[in-house]
Amino acid sequence: MTNLTIALDMMGGDIGPPVTLEAAVHAVTEFPHLHLILCGDPQALNEGLAKYPQAPSSQLQIEPTEQVVGMDERPSTALRSKNKSSMRRALELVESGQADACVSAGNTGALLAMAYYVLKTLPGIDRPALISSLPTISHRKVYLLDLGANVNCDSEILFQYAVMGSVLAEEVEGMERPRVALLNVGEEQIKGNDQVKHTAQILSSVPSINYIGYIEGNDIFTDKADVVVTDGFVGNIALKACEGLGKLIFTEVKRVSGKNLFTRIMARMALPILKKIYARVNPDQYNGASLIGLRGIVVKSHGNASSEAFLYAIKEAMQEVTRQVPSKIKHKIETLLMERP
Amino acid sequence: MTNLTIALDMMGGDIGPPVTLEAAVHAVTEFPHLHLILCGDPQALNEGLAKYPQAPSSQLQIEPTEQVVGMDERPSTALRSKNKSSMRRALELVESGQADACVSAGNTGALLAMAYYVLKTLPGIDRPALISSLPTISHRKVYLLDLGANVNCDSEILFQYAVMGSVLAEEVEGMERPRVALLNVGEEQIKGNDQVKHTAQILSSVPSINYIGYIEGNDIFTDKADVVVTDGFVGNIALKACEGLGKLIFTEVKRVSGKNLFTRIMARMALPILKKIYARVNPDQYNGASLIGLRGIVVKSHGNASSEAFLYAIKEAMQEVTRQVPSKIKHKIETLLMERP
């Protein structure tokens, strides 16, 4: 098996090195062909690594950086003033070819801005997208994009998103001819705003995309589609509204625990089951997101993620490297340019 | 107390007269000053009413109609060909002044199209909106609009929505200076698409609207705002995505019931509590929606609603009549036109 190198932004996320280091050590232990470049404060990283004397140190390389991008920092500020940050360095390692991919649990907006600036988009792609998979009732995953990379999307960008989502679902999840749908306010052809209607026309004209039509918000979770395409404004708000509803349901279950003895006992018993289910269905916790459409692989893990989630993001990046997602997207876009009327 | 007359579309909804009649009888029994005009098939209504010999029949008047708008019928088809339907008649009774408001559990799209055509919008209002209240963690309600009446909304329409939502929250829920927020992908001023940014500018310039800024999707449910404004495309998708997630959580709880004995017992015990909580938090079931911005009061009850939900919708309509919501909106818009720079 060929070696595989991934650069990690070790300082990102709400916790930083304690979480990212644990995940890194697990990853190199599990995958002997994996090489990780740990970008971050060298002192913190060396001290942290001392806790893992059995770690295969030859697979771990520290890349010292001076700055950290704050979780609440403005993307424009981070882009301007944090060019010595762990996040920036991890992206630069991908750009220079020293790493095959990078993973960060840092500030999403800053990562988007820096990745776009450092890596640039693939030929034929105007804007990158933030994409993540969500659970469905059938336990088959569904990909939703864009989750907030671009709030103003015309039909051309939505079309590119459909292509990118389709390639990711096919390559990373192994879905054959993924069913691609457009998120809309109804399933009938006459429904929707102008961008969506025009995107539907384009998608209907290209046979190599398995376009199945419009779906409504509730059907994101019913396994009607493998890839659900929408603009970053709608995608971000829909995902976060779901997160908010999930939290509300849990608050209510806890509140019931304060009522009479019977409901209190039942609610107490229900809570662990609910928590388990919630962890599986909560879109915010489910897993990380990928930035696609760039000339390099960037995976975003959650800011408040556990080391398991960060490890999951590393594995996602490995899969995208192995399946050569960026070059597959580039190839698909080129094919489609010839297919389109 | 002055008399109050409400026209009911008795044929709307998945079940029709059995549900709508039960609610109507309950309503007139509870409110002796309420007069209901029951629009629908006279035979079905008379037969149904025979089951309620104690009903105060002087408060119930049957308005015979010939047609029914199908739940899946296209709005344009219904508008063109169903002008003798129970839905259309109920709206006409409001238009002619014979009823103070109307309630329907029928096809939402058809109701929107017919209401807009029959009643027209208030002066200063370009488009009506569909608005509903949702629960929050504090048990204080939050109003969300637009839920799908208009998919293309410019800043002027979003501004009008903010005004209408604010008036409804103040008059129907008795909220003092309701906190009005714009739904966005972040809380910072630089976030969002052009329509949202421009609407924020307008709202910031009118002191009589208590505009508090942007909120993200998850904060719909956290009692940060009393009125959350967005366009019908985003509002519809966000609401339905929440509905989909809610259903997914319930499917998962049921699925757990099939596992080992311990989790099976726990899940079985948890289910009734969860159902109760779900009924309270499921946006789709929570209650009906109002069409606001029209020269008349129209309340939409859910298509698969129980008689309790239809009764709730009747009460909502009564409250809007008592508080004279349309004339308050008209007045507020006139005031704001003078306030705006």
Side-chain angles (χ1 to χ4, degrees):
Chain A
M1 189 166 247
T2 50
N3 278 340
L4 202 151
T5 303
I6 294 179
L8 303 182
D9 166 13
M10 301 301 284
M11 312 307 284
D14 296 333
I15 300 166
V19 159
T20 52
L21 265 177
E22 191 182 336
V25 169
H26 270 103
V28 287
T29 309
E30 190 175 342
F31 304 102
H33 68 296
L34 178 66
H35 182 77
L36 293 177
I37 306 178
L38 316 177
C39 306
D41 174 37
Q43 199 189 333
L45 293 178
N46 277 314
E47 279 174 19
L49 272 179
K51 290 178 196 145
Y52 302 96
Q54 285 96 351
S57 55
S58 64
Q59 291 172 253
L60 297 168
Q61 170 194 339
I62 291 175
E63 175 77 15
T65 55
E66 298 164 23
Q67 294 177 308
V68 177
V69 174
M71 289 304 276
D72 294 321
E73 203 163 336
R74 278 196 171 199
S76 54
T77 313
L79 187 60
R80 217 173 31 241
S81 66
K82 294 290 173 73
N83 52 6
K84 291 185 173 171
S85 61
S86 52
M87 183 187 281
R88 177 69 174 257
R89 189 73 196 115
L91 290 163
E92 285 169 350
L93 290 168
V94 177
E95 198 275 325
S96 66
Q98 291 165 272
D100 301 303
C102 77
V103 177
S104 174
N107 179 328
T108 310
L111 184 65
L112 274 165
M114 276 192 190
Y116 186 44
Y117 179 79
V118 172
L119 293 172
K120 311 284 185 294
T121 52
L122 288 164
I125 300 290
D126 292 311
R127 308 281 297 171
L130 201 57
I131 182 169
S132 185
S133 63
L134 301 175
T136 69
I137 41 165
S138 75
H139 284 195
R140 195 178 154 102
K141 287 178 183 176
V142 58
Y143 278 97
L144 180 65
L145 81 166
D146 172 37
L147 300 176
N150 298 295
V151 294
N152 289 308
C153 297
D154 59 22
S155 56
E156 196 55 43
I157 288 179
L158 289 174
F159 167 71
Q160 293 167 11
Y161 285 176
V163 177
M164 299 196 289
S166 182
V167 170
L168 199 74
E170 195 160 355
E171 298 301 333
V172 174
E173 280 298 313
M175 291 168 173
E176 224 174 295
R177 279 188 65 70
R179 298 161 297 168
V180 177
L182 284 169
L183 200 52
N184 202 345
V185 296
E187 292 181 9
E188 307 84 33
Q189 279 207 322
I190 51 151
K191 292 274 183 173
N193 56 28
D194 299 338
Q195 300 97 283
V196 167
K197 283 183 199 167
H198 193 220
T199 312
Q201 279 177 6
I202 305 175
L203 286 170
S204 303
S205 73
V206 288
S208 69
I209 295 286
N210 183 14
Y211 173 64
I212 60 160
Y214 298 144
I215 64 164
E216 296 190 61
N218 48 318
D219 282 327
I220 295 172
F221 303 101
T222 59
D223 193 20
K224 276 200 176 174
D226 299 311
V227 180
V228 177
V229 178
T230 191
D231 70 71
F233 194 81
V234 178
N236 180 285
I237 287 173
L239 191 76
K240 288 195 173 156
C242 286
E243 184 199 326
L245 178 71
K247 282 196 185 137
L248 176 63
I249 292 177
F250 281 80
T251 311
E252 283 299 307
V253 172
K254 283 186 194 153
R255 204 194 302 267
V256 172
S257 315
K259 298 242 168 110
N260 75 58
L261 187 66
F262 182 65
T263 56
R264 201 154 68 215
I265 292 169
M266 295 225 290
R268 281 283 158 83
M269 291 178 84
L271 219 49
I273 294 188
L274 265 183
K275 270 188 187 153
K276 217 164 143 187
I277 291 166
Y278 187 47
R280 211 191 75 78
V281 300
N282 181 2
D284 186 48
Q285 293 299 321
Y286 190 53
N287 58 40
S290 295
L291 257 78
I292 54 171
L294 296 166
R295 294 169 196 254
I297 294 164
V298 183
V299 176
K300 166 74 178 71
S301 178
H302 279 287
N304 59 357
S306 58
S307 66
E308 287 80 20
F310 199 73
L311 178 61
Y312 184 98
I314 294 172
K315 289 181 185 175
E316 170 77 26
M318 291 172 70
Q319 182 71 0
E320 290 185 33
V321 174
T322 309
R323 304 296 304 194
Q324 302 176 45
V325 169
S327 76
K328 295 266 171 59
I329 290 175
K330 180 171 169 281
H331 180 71
K332 188 90 173 179
I333 280 283
E334 283 165 358
T335 313
L336 285 167
L337 281 178
M338 290 187 285
E339 228 179 68
R340 280 175 68 178
Chain B
M1 192 167 246
T2 50
N3 278 340
L4 202 151
T5 303
I6 294 179
L8 304 182
D9 166 14
M10 300 302 284
M11 311 307 284
D14 297 333
I15 300 168
V19 158
T20 52
L21 265 177
E22 191 182 335
V25 170
H26 270 103
V28 287
T29 309
E30 191 175 341
F31 303 103
H33 67 296
L34 177 66
H35 182 79
L36 294 177
I37 306 178
L38 316 178
C39 306
D41 173 36
Q43 198 188 335
L45 293 178
N46 276 314
E47 279 173 21
L49 272 178
K51 289 178 196 145
Y52 302 95
Q54 285 96 353
S57 54
S58 64
Q59 290 170 254
L60 297 167
Q61 170 194 339
I62 292 175
E63 176 76 16
T65 55
E66 298 164 24
Q67 294 177 308
V68 176
V69 174
M71 289 305 274
D72 294 319
E73 203 162 338
R74 277 195 172 201
S76 54
T77 313
L79 188 59
R80 217 172 32 240
S81 65
K82 293 290 173 74
N83 53 6
K84 291 185 173 171
S85 61
S86 51
M87 184 187 280
R88 176 70 174 256
R89 190 72 197 116
L91 290 163
E92 285 169 351
L93 289 169
V94 177
E95 197 277 325
S96 66
Q98 290 165 273
D100 301 304
C102 78
V103 177
S104 174
N107 179 327
T108 310
L111 184 66
L112 274 164
M114 276 191 191
Y116 186 43
Y117 178 80
V118 172
L119 293 173
K120 312 281 184 297
T121 52
L122 289 165
I125 299 290
D126 293 312
R127 308 281 295 169
L130 201 56
I131 182 169
S132 185
S133 63
L134 300 174
T136 69
I137 42 165
S138 74
H139 284 195
R140 194 177 155 103
K141 287 178 183 176
V142 58
Y143 278 96
L144 179 64
L145 81 163
D146 172 37
L147 300 176
N150 299 294
V151 293
N152 289 307
C153 297
D154 60 19
S155 55
E156 196 55 44
I157 289 179
L158 289 174
F159 167 71
Q160 293 167 11
Y161 285 176
V163 176
M164 298 195 290
S166 183
V167 170
L168 199 73
E170 194 161 354
E171 297 302 332
V172 174
E173 280 299 314
M175 292 168 172
E176 222 173 297
R177 277 187 68 68
R179 297 161 299 167
V180 176
L182 285 169
L183 200 53
N184 202 347
V185 295
E187 292 181 9
E188 308 83 32
Q189 279 208 320
I190 51 151
K191 292 274 184 175
N193 57 27
D194 299 338
Q195 301 95 284
V196 167
K197 284 183 199 167
H198 193 219
T199 312
Q201 279 176 6
I202 305 176
L203 286 170
S204 303
S205 73
V206 288
S208 69
I209 295 286
N210 183 15
Y211 173 63
I212 59 160
Y214 298 144
I215 65 164
E216 296 190 60
N218 50 318
D219 281 328
I220 295 171
F221 303 101
T222 59
D223 193 19
K224 275 199 176 173
D226 300 311
V227 179
V228 176
V229 178
T230 191
D231 68 73
F233 194 81
V234 178
N236 180 285
I237 288 173
L239 191 76
K240 288 195 173 156
C242 286
E243 184 198 326
L245 178 72
K247 281 193 185 138
L248 177 64
I249 292 177
F250 281 79
T251 311
E252 284 298 308
V253 172
K254 283 184 193 154
R255 203 195 303 267
V256 172
S257 316
K259 300 239 168 113
N260 74 58
L261 187 66
F262 183 64
T263 56
R264 201 154 69 216
I265 292 169
M266 294 224 292
R268 282 283 158 83
M269 291 179 82
L271 219 49
I273 292 189
L274 266 182
K275 271 189 187 154
K276 217 164 142 186
I277 290 165
Y278 187 48
R280 211 189 76 77
V281 300
N282 181 0
D284 187 47
Q285 293 299 322
Y286 190 53
N287 59 40
S290 295
L291 258 78
I292 54 171
L294 296 166
R295 293 168 197 254
I297 295 163
V298 183
V299 176
K300 167 74 179 72
S301 180
H302 279 288
N304 59 357
S306 59
S307 66
E308 287 81 20
F310 200 74
L311 178 61
Y312 184 98
I314 295 172
K315 289 182 186 173
E316 170 76 26
M318 290 171 69
Q319 181 72 359
E320 291 185 32
V321 174
T322 310
R323 303 297 304 194
Q324 301 176 46
V325 169
S327 75
K328 295 266 170 62
I329 290 175
K330 181 170 167 279
H331 180 71
K332 188 89 171 180
I333 281 283
E334 284 165 355
T335 313
L336 285 167
L337 280 177
M338 289 189 283
E339 228 179 67
R340 278 174 70 178

